Amino acid sequence: MTRSPQTRPVALVTGAGTGLGSALAIGLAAQGFDVAIHFRRSAEGAQDAAHRARSLGAEAEVFKADLSQEPEALRLADAVANRFQRLDLLVNNAGVYCEKHGLDLSATEWMEGLHSTVTQTFFTTRAMLPLLRSKPAGRIINLGDSSADRPGARDLAWSYHIGKTGVWMLTRSLAASEAPYGIPVNMVSPGFLENSVGILPADAVPAGRLGTFADLESAVRYLAQEAPAYLTGSNLMVGGGWNLR
């Protein structure tokens, strides 16, 4: 597939029915992307994000899928190809955080923490590679966690944190495997955001404030449009110093 230079670039954002994913999809629409908005449960939020993207002049389509299941990831890839005929940017954002002590997680909660992060990122990326490898090659941005590159003890949400550490390893592995195709694969790792689960005083963050969606949008915009394609396998920390100590 050869992409037409007259066509707007297309971005797929997973988990875009709520929170950060929704903000990223709308932000990419404002930056000139048409957007494929994925959701698993938050249909109303996904439709609202699509409406807001269209108000910015973008084409937007909503897709439902459980991306922890490979057949659904493959169906999503076919649906995106049929609707847009191209994919220039994949943003693997989805992830479920369960605020429970690790030993109190049910079997379902344990599996969801893993499958909504690293498993979903793997299946989605592999399904989208034929589109992303088209010329000019696309880009991949994975959403990590501010401590994903420093595995250590955690009190809460063990499987989520293990999954995000896996996303970092997967990011590096994909960066090496896709470099010959010209696809940069990088990770953006948020710190404690204003909408994060739990309560944290702003002065607990070295920067003196909690992170915002705008902070993450800036990082994603840089990797999506401004960073050289030669920059790959990186982890861009956007946490105001949180989790560095």
Side-chain angles (χ1 to χ4, degrees), residues 125-214:
T125 302
R126 187 163 67 175
M128 300 299 163
L129 282 179
L131 282 170
L132 292 163
R133 287 174 176 175
S134 300
K135 299 300 181 183
R139 297 183 176 215
I140 299 170
I141 301 172
N142 298 325
L143 270 293
D145 176 83
S146 60
S147 62
D149 63 344
R150 295 183 301 106
R154 289 288 179 269
D155 292 328
L156 307 175
W158 287 358
S159 58
Y160 172 87
H161 287 294
I162 291 169
K164 287 296 189 180
T165 299
V167 170
W168 175 223
M169 181 177 290
L170 184 59
T171 298
R172 291 173 60 88
S173 300
L174 284 166
S177 72
E178 294 309 304
Y181 298 95
I183 300 175
V185 186
N186 294 291
M187 189 163 84
V188 173
S189 289
F192 208 94
L193 302 178
E194 290 177 336
N195 74 320
S196 293
V197 176
I199 299 173
L200 184 77
D203 59 9
V205 179
R209 66 174 179 86
L210 303 182
T212 67
F213 291 160

Side-chain angles (χ1 to χ4, degrees), residues 13 38 43 58 67 72 74 101 105 109 117 153 169 180 203 206 222:
V13 183
H38 159 264
L67 296 176
E72 294 203 30
L74 292 169
H101 188 276
L105 294 170
E109 290 163 344
T117 52
M169 181 177 290
D203 59 9
Y222 170 70

Side-chain angles (χ1 to χ4, degrees), residues 3-112:
R3 298 189 175 112
S4 167
Q6 285 75 45
T7 305
R8 286 166 57 104
V10 174
L12 166 63
V13 183
T14 68
T18 60
L20 178 59
S22 177
L24 292 178
I26 295 165
L28 287 166
Q31 295 159 31
F33 283 84
D34 291 335
V35 288
I37 295 172
H38 159 264
F39 77 98
R40 181 166 67 108
R41 295 172 180 160
S42 305
E44 185 175 348
Q47 291 292 349
D48 179 67
H51 174 75
R52 294 176 63 184
R54 294 182 190 117
S55 73
L56 295 168
E59 291 190 31
E61 196 74 34
V62 172
F63 301 91
K64 179 179 181 179
D66 178 357
L67 296 176
S68 69
Q69 305 298 315
E70 186 173 27
E72 294 203 30
L74 292 169
R75 282 195 291 271
L76 176 61
D78 287 341
V80 170
N82 289 335
R83 173 62 178 83
F84 294 104
Q85 292 78 54
R86 62 188 289 164
L87 183 62
D88 301 87
L89 175 65
L90 169 61
V91 180
N92 286 305
N93 162 76
V96 177
Y97 181 93
C98 183
E99 192 181 23
K100 286 186 177 181
H101 188 276
L103 291 176
D104 293 331
L105 294 170
S106 69
T108 297
E109 290 163 344
W110 171 265
M111 298 305 291
E112 186 172 49

